[in-house]
Amino acid sequence: MANHRTPTTATALPARFLTPEDIASLFGVPLETVYQWRRKRTGPPGFRAGRHVRYHPDAVAQWVTDQTQQAA
């Protein structure tokens, strides 16, 4: 009998992508600060889904790790 494997993705998608409002709430900063981070490319990396900006939770977590390591 042949060994049939179900294709799997390399990375699983999160249950929900984060919005700019989620990021502002998470870090306790004004929403405008999140937009400035995006314009200056200093905040967590986001992506466009149509006309909406979304953030992958894993990318946000990695950004936090990077920030805390730079501060140490």
Side-chain angles (χ1 to χ4, degrees):
M1 184 170 175
N3 184 6
H4 294 281
R5 294 185 184 179
T6 304
T8 58
T9 57
T11 57
L13 292 175
R16 180 170 98 69
F17 291 102
L18 302 171
T19 65
E21 291 82 4
D22 293 330
I23 299 297
S25 176
L26 182 66
F27 293 107
V29 298
L31 184 58
E32 183 56 35
T33 298
V34 176
Y35 291 130
Q36 287 177 12
W37 287 347
R38 182 157 167 79
R39 280 192 298 273
K40 295 177 182 179
R41 298 180 188 268
T42 58
F47 64 94
R48 285 215 169 266
R51 60 183 198 154
H52 304 283
V53 175
R54 294 294 181 260
Y55 298 86
H56 194 293
D58 293 344
V60 174
Q62 183 61 52
W63 180 79
V64 170
T65 299
D66 294 345
Q67 297 306 303
T68 56
Q69 288 176 353
Q70 288 177 8

